[in-house]
Amino acid sequence: DGIRDWSVTGVQTCALPIWLFTFFVLFETTIIPISLSILGWGQTPERTSATLYIFLYTFLAATPLLVFLVIYQDEKILTFSNSCLSENSFSAFLLVVRILAFLVKLPQFLLHSWLLKAHVEAPTPSSMLLARLLLKLGGYGLYLIFLFFPRTSFIVINFLLPLSVWGGLCSALLCIRQTDLKIIVALSSIRHIALVRMGIFLKTDTSRRGAFLLMIAHGLNSSGLFFIVGLFSAVTGTRRIFLNKRFKPLVGAFLFQWAALCILNIGVPPSLNFIREIIIIFSLTSFSTYLLFLILLLAFITGVYSFYLFSLISHNKNSNFSPVTPFLLLKNHLLRIVHWLPLLALVFKSSIFT
């Protein structure tokens, strides 16, 4: 509530840029453990280029925001009135400077190459950490920027919001033609994060609540899918989807959990995924029916590649792999359960929707 009050008054003391600067530094240092895990446990020579991509994207996107925060460190009082935040070309440039670092970390489609390379080269635990933590910090940082600098409606509505919708649609279409299981899950992650950006860009309490619910749902669902993909590659030695079709009918409990995560990835009722998509879609109806049509198309394509992902692995008559130990271990069963069960259980906690 205190942060919200600061944004309403329009006058903030010098504690604000110091706090933002601290958040920025801690946010950017999260790439260090991810990069070290890729360099240390990556399995191909491409892990070096993946790490280089991470540092290159981070440096180029974070430097403008760092300069902006350092400049404002010397200001004793920051006044963000309507006059100094008028919608002109200079304010548009400042908006890009402020949000670019977070758009790269979310990531925004067209700025997502580093994420695909990182997921492909990272071990399974690092991919799970990347999906559950780093992307959420990017969403939270973007939320703070729009909270502290609210006069950005023209740029958001006319450029960033449609770009997010088209980026999510392109990511979903790319999922259909991929053969690497990890890339499919990573592109699906970009598709879900596109809805997070839409919820933040709409700048209403309802849409922001939907964006936060989506970040929670995405952290659980994508992390669970990365974990199961890691189990598949541990057994077959490959992530190629056509080479992972050789399992005999999978163990009942594992098959149910694999199906649950693929179905929850679509956003079916009564899951948390369904609630957050409905919230964001209803928020979008007051903005543009054109974008609403694209969102519905995006939901349909998500269903197509999710069923495609599940059916190719789980329904194959010419299987020659019997269920093996990694699928049957108790700890792996528990890890899968803690990913999909909260997506259903949180729906019954009504306080998170108010």
Side-chain angles (χ1 to χ4, degrees):
D1 292 337
I3 293 178
R4 188 179 300 277
D5 292 339
W6 282 0
S7 66
V8 172
T9 58
V11 178
Q12 294 128 6
T13 64
C14 59
L16 173 59
I18 294 175
W19 187 85
L20 279 176
F21 182 79
T22 304
F23 173 78
F24 167 79
V25 172
L26 295 177
F27 169 72
E28 295 299 338
T29 55
T30 56
I31 69 167
I32 296 177
I34 298 295
S35 301
L36 291 178
S37 66
I38 293 175
L39 284 175
W41 288 275
Q43 298 179 352
T44 68
E46 294 297 322
R47 64 182 184 271
T48 304
S49 64
T51 306
L52 181 61
Y53 264 70
I54 294 175
F55 277 100
L56 184 62
Y57 272 79
T58 298
F59 175 77
L60 293 179
T63 301
L65 180 58
L66 177 62
V67 173
F68 174 82
L69 293 176
V70 169
I71 291 175
Y72 277 99
Q73 285 290 334
D74 296 331
E75 299 286 342
K76 294 184 178 180
I77 296 180
L78 297 179
T79 304
F80 303 116
S81 62
N82 292 337
S83 58
C84 68
L85 287 177
S86 57
E87 293 177 349
N88 51 41
S89 58
F90 182 69
S91 66
F93 171 74
L94 287 181
L95 173 62
V96 173
V97 166
R98 292 192 294 262
I99 69 174
L100 185 60
F102 302 112
L103 287 180
V104 167
K105 287 298 193 304
L106 272 172
Q108 168 68 49
F109 189 79
L110 301 179
L111 301 174
H112 68 288
S113 298
W114 72 270
L115 183 67
L116 298 183
K117 286 183 173 291
H119 277 305
V120 167
E121 300 301 326
T124 298
S126 296
S127 291
M128 295 171 65
L129 181 64
L130 190 59
R132 299 191 72 169
L133 179 61
L134 185 57
L135 302 187
K136 309 306 168 294
L137 289 176
Y140 181 62
L142 194 64
Y143 167 76
L144 291 180
I145 290 296
F146 281 100
L147 187 63
F148 295 142
F149 304 92
R151 287 294 308 276
T152 53
S153 59
F154 178 81
I155 302 299
V156 170
I157 292 177
N158 292 278
F159 179 72
L160 293 177
L161 187 57
L163 182 63
S164 294
V165 177
W166 279 106
L169 188 59
C170 292
S171 299
L173 288 171
L174 286 174
C175 286
I176 299 177
R177 62 181 299 274
Q178 297 299 319
T179 59
D180 190 309
L181 288 171
K182 255 194 173 183
I183 293 182
I184 293 176
V185 178
L187 286 170
S188 176
S189 177
I190 296 174
R191 175 264 178 201
H192 285 98
I193 291 300
L195 291 177
V196 172
R197 290 194 303 274
M198 281 183 263
I200 296 175
F201 291 160
L202 287 170
K203 300 197 303 178
T204 65
D205 290 338
T206 303
S207 65
R208 284 171 174 171
R209 188 178 300 116
F212 279 115
L213 290 177
L214 176 53
M215 285 193 282
I216 296 172
H218 170 266
L220 293 168
N221 191 259
S222 292
S223 179
L225 288 174
F226 277 121
F227 177 68
I228 292 182
V229 167
L231 292 180
F232 283 136
S233 61
V235 173
T236 62
T238 180
R239 295 191 304 267
R240 298 297 175 184
I241 191 169
F242 298 109
L243 297 179
N244 279 280
K245 297 197 306 180
R246 300 176 291 171
F247 292 98
K248 289 183 178 179
L250 296 172
V251 182
F254 174 78
L255 181 61
F256 170 77
Q257 293 161 2
W258 172 233
L261 287 172
C262 288
I263 293 174
L264 290 172
N265 191 52
I266 305 172
V268 297
S271 67
L272 186 62
N273 307 53
F274 174 76
I275 299 296
R276 46 81 178 169
E277 287 201 3
I278 290 298
I279 291 175
I280 294 178
I281 288 175
F282 271 102
S283 300
L284 196 61
T285 54
S286 60
F287 173 72
S288 171
T289 54
Y290 163 70
L291 293 182
L292 179 61
F293 170 76
L294 293 180
I295 289 292
L296 296 177
L297 180 61
L298 176 60
F300 172 76
I301 297 175
T302 301
V304 170
Y305 72 72
S306 295
F307 280 114
Y308 166 78
L309 182 64
F310 171 75
S311 61
L312 278 184
I313 292 179
S314 306
H315 298 82
N316 185 31
K317 296 181 179 180
N318 299 320
S319 303
N320 55 20
F321 271 101
S322 297
V324 289
T325 303
F327 298 136
L328 303 175
L329 291 176
L330 177 61
K331 66 175 183 178
N332 290 341
H333 277 300
L334 294 177
L335 279 172
R336 292 191 294 268
I337 289 173
V338 299
H339 281 97
W340 64 264
L341 186 59
L343 293 175
L344 298 175
L346 286 174
V347 174
F348 300 99
K349 185 173 177 57
S350 59
S351 61
I352 67 175
F353 305 116
T354 59

